[in-house]
Amino acid sequence: MIIAGWVVMIVGAVVVLLLPQVSSPYVLFVATEVLLYVPLAIGQNLITGNTGVLSMGHAALYGVGAYTTGVLVSHIAIGVPLTLLASAGAAALVGLGVSLTTQRIRGDYLFIVTIGLNFIFLDVVNNSTWSGAATGLFAIAPPAGGLLAVTTPARFFYLSLGVAALCVLISLAILRSRFGRAMEAVRDDPLVAATMGLKEVPIKAGIFGVAGAMAGLSGCVLAYFLGSVGPQDFNSNISLLIFEMVIIGGLGSVSGSVLGAIVLIAVPEFLRSVQEYSLGIGGVLIVVMMVLRPEGVLGSWRTAR
Amino acid sequence: MATETLGGRLVVQNICVNYGAFRALDGVSIEVAPGSITGVIGPNGSGKTTLINAITGIQAASGTIRLDGQVLGRRSVPRRAELGLARTFQAIRLFQSMSILDNIMLGAHRLMRAGLFESVLRTPRSRREIARRRARAEVLMSVFGPRLLPRMHQLAVNLSYANRRRVEICRAFMAEPLLLLLDEPMAGMNPFETQELSEQLPELQKLVPTSILLVEHKMDVINALCSHVYVLDHGVCIIEGDPRTVQSDPAVVEAYLGVE
Amino acid sequence: MITFVQQVINGAAAGSVYALLAVGYNMVYGLLGFINFAHGDLYMFSTFIVLAMVTLHVPFWGAVAVGMVAACFLGMSVERIAYRPLRTANRIAPTVSAVGVALVLENAAQVIWGPATRPFPTPLPQGLFRVDGVVITAMQIVILLTAAAIAVALRVGVYHTSWGRKLRAIRDDLPTAELVGISVNRLVSSVYAVGAALGLISGVLFAAYYNSVYVTMGLTGTLNAFTAAVLGGIGSIGGSFAGGLALGLLQSLGAGYISSGYQNTITFVVLIVVLLLRPNGMFGKLTAARA
Ligand SMILES: Nc1ncnc2c1ncn2[C@@H]1O[C@H](COP(=O)(O)OP(=O)(O)OP(=O)(O)O)[C@@H](O)[C@H]1O
Ligand SMILES: [Mg+2]
């Protein structure tokens, strides 16, 4: 069994690595898109699945990353690695700030407040000159030379793959460490967690920071990938889509996040006939999953407060 | 592995707790000597759990609470845990989605020195630390013989009632606290298990030197374990002293044993 | 001064629309302690139904009647299918289920009616009056009068009918209400129907006032109405009106004196500040919170 598992993993890895050589440009495009959503779904899952915070503002963190890249590229020529770092840092700071300001707000109210985050983000970028207002920023091109010169679709694919793999690894490592248990303790029973010295505020803020950084990385790659950023790329529907990914993929599971991204991005892309309905089909799935087996999906969530 | 010095003196002076207009604790003063097991008894609703909640910071209270001279005052629940308070709950509260071992290891959170980065990167230092705590957890579990050790990777949710109690007790001892507050640890156990636990508690205390504040209903447990006991009734401490004297006091017989 | 009075009038009209939508939230929340996240999308969807009827040359009031029936039916079906099975589950479950419903409604509206903003022709009076430089439209008067009439009707309904008595019995103690023979399911169903019907009225007024209907008005409706509910005291029906008006005024004064581009930001800053300072709303009683 274990050997079979390894074989599957290795074959999978080889297929993924060779994808740019063997697939059509369209398939490669879709695969890159899926990979861009992996860090987003993973971050959302750390927040919602593992730490138990209902948050619906992930697109705003994504947008902060993308706009940071857009602004940086049009002002100073720093390489891709530094831009990635700066975008991750900016989104992490915003995530941290959001978590710290909303700590005292109760679970289901927080849900609505974080939807507001999307609207606040859009208000800001739509009304500022540095963000190009409603038209957004254009001609975001990575430098041609240098260490990470992402200029071809294949290179974009590898860059997204690298970022997604990094986020998977970080997430697994966090969950395997004692902080993974600490997050779950805060989720399952904050009071007991407190009596053991676990501090809810910094734990939640830290997770928002980590998830923000992941979203920022994705945003940066997206900005390069599209060559432009605009308000329409980060509206509340994107947040809803990311939220759907972790519910459908499985709360609290890293592989579930990846699965959710594949199901909600790749499947609708390839089944053109259902693409128009994908958000709604996801919605039906969510209702069915909740009604049939709420505990199965939510695990041992005990947010009875 | 023993705690550094023999600390753990708790001094509670004149604390009052109100639930709305209802006064659940009305000027209670108690003291727990370092290394002792001090009992608190009282009929249902007399304020025993409220007392533990006040000491651990879950419930706001007036009056002063000192641990080794340090005033706990307005410190938060996790701060008090860091200072060396640990507790169990009358209605057992384990993390159901985690294994027994994970539950118990979480108890050691306040002692872990490896920070976020070290833990996530699994540096040698953090691995050593985890291995050490894990060995410690196994030692604590082994006090309960074969009840927990072979099951340590099972989910807590699948355990019997008495075993969940044992896990919760191990988890509290894992914190190596200065003061441990046990809220009716024998509740729901049969006479045999109760007897067993009253032998195991001193054993655990030998492994982890700590003062214990023991809230209990069963008089024979108090007799066996405690050198000093306080009797609460309607939020007031009506008498204190050694268990045998207290037990024969007419006020106690009326307030406590009479109710039973 | 003229601008100020003008903004107050505009804000009161917009706020009345929020209030009618917030009532639907507050009735459900007061009863079951649950935020019906799909309420705004339901209001959007049923307003589109009215528009579709009008497009099919159904007379306006007939279209509104059809929309009303459809809204009630939708509200009750959603409750029956997506919420009722979860009434005793973990409180997160119905919230997530509601997100699913909202997505379905939004997607359906998008597919059926497209993403574009549509005009909303009505026979409602479109004139305007000028009083000392302040402009008051006939539509604003219609909105204020409708909201006032509904506020009075609700007051009577909740405090002077047997339906209202049962409602209050369930709110205070659901298990006991069930024991004394109140059919909880029927009553909850009726509350969803009433909430959806008020939502439709709110939607028609909104669409007529701004002469537009669009898919994303569902989500913004959800957010505005929830903010109104929180401002007024979540769970309190009377508070919906106070909160709706307060939010309308804040938004329109904010647009007039700060910047019109930051309407949503103003809403959310208000929401966050209120939640941080008064977790049960500005005018909310502390007892309104049900764990
Ligand atoms: N959160 C609360 N709100 C209001 N009253 C409370 C609350 N918690 C406890 N009480 C009341 O305070 C009194 C003391 O309660 P407490 O739980 O401390 O009693 P106890 O001595 O631990 O009883 P038991 O032996 O049943 O555990 C009781 O009358 C109880 O009803
Ligand atoms: Mg008790």
Side-chain angles (χ1 to χ4, degrees), chain A residues 44-59:
Chain A
Q44 174 87 57
N45 218 345
L46 286 175
I47 292 175
T48 305
N50 301 98
T51 318
V53 179
L54 276 184
S55 161
M56 190 67 104
H58 226 66

Side-chain angles (χ1 to χ4, degrees), chain C residues 7-28:
Chain C
Q7 301 295 359
V8 167
I9 291 170
N10 294 351
S16 303
V17 172
Y18 300 152
L20 292 179
L21 198 53
V23 170
Y25 271 107
N26 273 336
M27 287 178 95
V28 169

Side-chain angles (χ1 to χ4, degrees), chain A residues 106 108 123 237 277 280 301, chain C residues 29 90-91 106-107 234 265:
Chain A
R106 231 183 57 189
D108 42 355
D123 273 359
N237 271 347
Y277 311 101
W301 262 39
Chain C
Y29 194 89
N90 176 325
R91 67 181 291 148
E106 192 187 318
N107 195 205
I234 186 120
T265 303

Side-chain angles (χ1 to χ4, degrees), chain A residues 63-173:
Chain A
V64 168
Y67 270 93
T68 305
T69 300
V71 170
L72 279 180
V73 167
S74 52
H75 284 94
I76 35 173
I78 52 174
V80 175
L82 276 182
T83 314
L84 274 169
L85 214 62
S87 305
L93 279 181
V94 172
L96 212 69
V98 167
S99 176
L100 288 176
T101 38
T102 57
Q103 282 288 340
R104 284 180 52 210
I105 297 177
R106 231 183 57 189
D108 42 355
Y109 293 5
L110 185 64
F111 198 47
I112 304 232
V113 168
T114 48
I115 294 173
L117 193 59
N118 299 295
F119 287 87
I120 293 176
F121 177 76
L122 291 188
D123 273 359
V124 171
V125 295
N126 270 321
N127 291 292
S128 307
T129 43
W130 55 261
S131 59
T135 44
L137 298 169
F138 293 92
I140 302 168
L147 182 60
L148 283 172
V150 272
T151 39
T152 63
R155 290 190 173 202
F156 268 114
F157 173 80
Y158 286 127
L159 179 62
S160 323
L161 183 64
V163 166
L166 180 72
C167 292
V168 167
L169 289 179
I170 290 175
S171 175
L172 285 174

Side-chain angles (χ1 to χ4, degrees), chain B residues 45 47-50 90 183-184 215:
Chain B
K48 305 181 296 294
T49 299
T50 303
Q90 186 170 351
D183 197 351
E184 303 198 26
V215 167

